[in-house]
């Protein structure tokens, strides 16, 4: 849009559609996590993820306030820059088989907390509006909308709890008989269509109550992780996830305003590198606090040292609610998009130059203790074949 002019303002509409790739990806991640596994991860999710969001927000907000911004604007900037890219990080973890590593699990915990935190950030941003960013007519309209059309908070909270409870109950008691009935038809097309319909319905329901669709589909995936149709769902949805994620990354690239980049190249380059360096240092310190080994800590820090796609949502919402002005919003979007573009380069740098030198620093884990008397059969590997073999044993 900013170079060849082959596409125009419809790029934002493409971004909204391409975000289904992130939604599908989190649904597939949820299918890989049983509720018991998720419960065991509660400490890194709340502790590591919570500290990352809070510390990054406060540090960036203080630096922004020192730079001369109002405290409301500085806090919004901190919230925007506290996000990391779920799409890039999880796709990288999946491609390189790092998701089961300590660094991968730590990174996933932080991303999951960020997805939940977005809900509260969206609720807080309207209270950080700057009157100077509004015209007189907008001020009157804002006051009128706040007084008349805003639903009671208890009703909004009840709607949120109701939708989440409905997703959990439907995932446990409704989807299994439905998919069991569809499986009897032996029609792959009907199974795929039903799986996609399930995700679209959850997305629309979560959007209707103001929650993150990605969070809703992740919850649905976790609920269905123990279903016998888990692998069929993964195979059915995987091609759509790959296509939509590819479109998402194209849309991110199209959102980069090359004109603004050319007008202030040194400022923007400094902001991008400064953001990535700041987040890298914060993540490295948190990894040290949570006792990650050096190799895992560096991998964890390199993976998450960028802005995220939820930053686009926060910036757009902050612009609508007059918490940011247009010029600053475009600058933030540009910095976040460029940091996402540089993330694969940073990961390649870590993988090719740093990781080989740190292999010897990893301590070998202790051998697993296996009671041969109670476990006469040992299946080495819990992949698709291993799970099929283990079913008669568990029954």
């Amino acid at each position: 849009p900013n170079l060849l002019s082959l596409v125009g303002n419809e790029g934002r509409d493409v971004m909204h559609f391409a975000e289904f790739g992130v939604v599908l990806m989190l649904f597939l991640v949820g299918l890989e996590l049983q509720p018991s596994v998720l419960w065991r991860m509660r400490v890194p999710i709340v502790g590591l993820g919570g500290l990352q969001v809070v510390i990054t927000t406060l540090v960036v907000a203080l630096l922004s306030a020192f730079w001369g911004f109002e405290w409301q604007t500085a806090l919004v900037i901190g919230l925007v820059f506290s996000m990391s890219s779920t799409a890039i990080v999880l796709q990288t973890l999946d491609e390189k088989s790092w998701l089961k590593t300590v660094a991968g699990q730590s990174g996933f915990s932080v991303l999951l907390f960020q997805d939940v935190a977005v809900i509260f950030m969206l609720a807080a941003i309207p209270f950080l509006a700057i009157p100077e960013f509004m015209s007189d007519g907008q001020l009157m309209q804002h006051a009128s909308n706040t007084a008349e059309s805003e639903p009671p908070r208890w009703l909004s909270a009840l709607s949120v709890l109701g939708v989440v409870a409905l997703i959990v109950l439907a995932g446990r008691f409704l989807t299994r008989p439905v998919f069991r009935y569809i499986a009897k038809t032996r029609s792959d097309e009907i199974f795929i269509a039903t799986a996609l319909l399930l995700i679209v319905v959850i997305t629309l329901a979560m959007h209707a109550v103001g929650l993150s669709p990605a969070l809703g589909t992740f919850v649905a995936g976790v609920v269905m992780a123990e279903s016998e149709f888990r692998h069929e769902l993964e195979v059915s949805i995987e091609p759509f996830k790959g296509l939509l994620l590819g479109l998402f990354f194209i849309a991110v690239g199209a959102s980069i305003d090359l004109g603004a980049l050319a007008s202030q190249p040194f400022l923007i380059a400094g902001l991008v590198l400064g953001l990535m360096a700041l987040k890298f240092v914060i993540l490295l310190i948190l990894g040290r606090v949570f006792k990650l080994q050096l190799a895992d800590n560096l991998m964890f820090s390199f993976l998450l040292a960028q802005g995220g796609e939820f930053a686009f949502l926060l910036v757009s919402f902050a612009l609508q609610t007059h918490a940011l002005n247009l010029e600053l919003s475009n600058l933030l979007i540009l910095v976040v998009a460029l940091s996402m573009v540089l993330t694969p380069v940073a990961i390649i740098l870590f993988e090719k130059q740093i990781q080989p030198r740190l292999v010897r620093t990893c301590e070998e884990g202790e051998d697993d203790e296996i009671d041969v008397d109670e476990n006469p059969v040992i299946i080495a590997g819990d992949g698709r074949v291993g799970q099929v073999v283990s079913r008669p044993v568990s029954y």
Side-chain angles (χ1 to χ4, degrees):
N2 297 291
L3 187 62
L4 300 178
S5 300
L6 296 179
V7 295
N9 294 329
E10 68 272 12
R12 294 185 180 273
D13 298 330
V14 173
M15 175 70 80
H16 291 311
F17 177 74
E19 286 174 354
F20 268 103
V22 182
V23 169
L24 293 175
M25 179 178 59
L26 281 174
F27 180 74
L28 293 177
V29 171
L31 286 175
E32 296 291 338
L33 287 175
Q34 296 179 349
S36 58
V37 176
L38 195 60
W39 176 251
R40 290 201 300 268
M41 294 173 60
R42 65 189 184 277
V43 173
I45 290 174
V46 177
L48 186 57
L51 286 174
Q52 184 274 326
V53 171
V54 171
I55 293 176
T56 304
T57 299
L58 292 178
V59 172
V60 173
L62 290 174
L63 291 175
S64 301
F66 178 77
W67 206 342
F69 289 103
E70 297 288 340
W71 70 268
Q72 298 98 321
T73 303
L75 186 56
V76 172
I77 296 173
L79 294 174
V80 169
F81 283 159
S82 67
M83 296 289 103
S84 299
S85 177
T86 302
I88 292 178
V89 175
L90 288 187
Q91 184 71 8
T92 301
L93 293 175
D94 181 59
E95 290 177 353
K96 299 183 179 297
S97 300
W98 288 349
L99 188 58
K100 301 299 182 182
T101 63
V102 175
Q105 292 290 295
S106 301
F108 173 75
S109 301
V110 172
L111 293 172
L112 183 57
F113 185 89
Q114 289 179 359
D115 293 345
V116 177
V118 168
I119 303 168
F120 301 96
M121 293 179 185
L122 291 174
I125 283 177
F127 297 98
L128 301 175
I130 304 294
E132 287 78 4
F133 295 160
M134 301 184 191
S135 63
D136 293 338
Q138 289 172 332
L139 281 171
M140 295 178 61
Q141 184 179 3
H142 176 73
S144 176
N145 292 338
T146 303
E148 296 178 4
S149 61
E150 184 176 349
R153 294 185 182 274
W154 66 267
L155 183 59
S156 300
L158 190 62
S159 300
V160 169
L161 293 176
V163 169
V164 173
L166 184 62
I167 291 174
V168 173
L169 293 175
R172 291 191 65 88
F173 302 109
L174 182 61
T175 56
R176 284 190 180 183
V178 169
F179 281 114
R180 192 176 294 119
Y181 175 79
I182 293 174
K184 293 179 181 179
T185 66
R186 298 185 181 276
S187 173
D188 293 336
E189 291 80 7
I190 297 178
F191 192 93
I192 294 173
T194 306
L196 293 176
L197 176 63
L198 172 67
I199 293 174
V200 170
V201 169
I202 293 174
T203 299
L204 294 176
M206 296 295 284
H207 187 269
V209 296
L211 292 182
S212 167
L215 177 62
T217 51
F218 173 78
V219 172
V222 172
V223 173
M224 299 181 64
E226 298 178 344
S227 170
E228 63 269 29
F229 299 104
R230 183 181 70 173
H231 295 302
E232 287 81 358
L233 287 169
E234 290 177 352
V235 173
S236 299
I237 294 174
E238 183 70 33
F240 297 95
K241 182 210 75 171
L243 287 173
L244 289 173
L245 271 183
L247 181 61
F248 172 80
F249 292 129
I250 292 174
V252 169
S255 67
I256 297 177
D257 188 350
L258 297 180
L261 178 60
S263 63
Q264 297 176 308
F266 296 107
L267 172 63
I268 294 173
L271 290 175
V272 173
L273 296 178
L275 170 64
M276 298 185 71
L278 177 64
K279 296 190 72 173
F280 179 86
V281 171
I282 292 174
L283 291 165
L284 197 66
I285 294 174
L286 289 177
R288 183 66 176 174
V289 172
F290 280 80
K291 299 180 180 180
L292 297 183
Q293 294 184 10
L294 180 59
D296 294 323
N297 197 5
L298 287 173
M299 181 192 296
F300 164 71
S301 302
F302 270 104
L303 282 170
L304 298 176
Q306 80 283 118
E309 55 277 353
F310 282 116
F312 300 141
L313 173 63
L314 293 174
V315 170
S316 176
F317 187 69
L319 183 62
Q320 294 173 12
T321 55
H322 308 286
L324 294 174
N325 58 29
L326 181 60
E327 181 181 359
L328 182 57
S329 299
N330 291 334
L331 179 62
L332 295 180
I333 290 176
L334 183 58
V335 171
V336 170
L338 288 175
S339 70
M340 294 172 67
V341 171
L342 290 178
T343 298
V345 179
I347 294 174
I348 292 173
L349 175 65
F350 168 77
E351 190 177 17
K352 300 298 183 181
Q353 299 296 328
I354 299 177
Q355 191 177 39
R357 302 179 183 181
L358 298 174
V359 172
R360 295 183 179 179
T361 65
C362 298
E363 299 178 1
E364 295 185 0
E366 298 180 357
D367 295 335
D368 295 332
E369 296 182 2
I370 301 176
D371 191 342
V372 182
D373 295 332
E374 295 185 1
N375 300 280
V377 178
I378 298 175
I379 300 174
D382 193 36
R384 187 169 302 174
V385 176
Q387 291 181 3
V388 171
V389 172
S390 65
R391 285 178 184 173
V393 178
S394 60
Y395 293 154

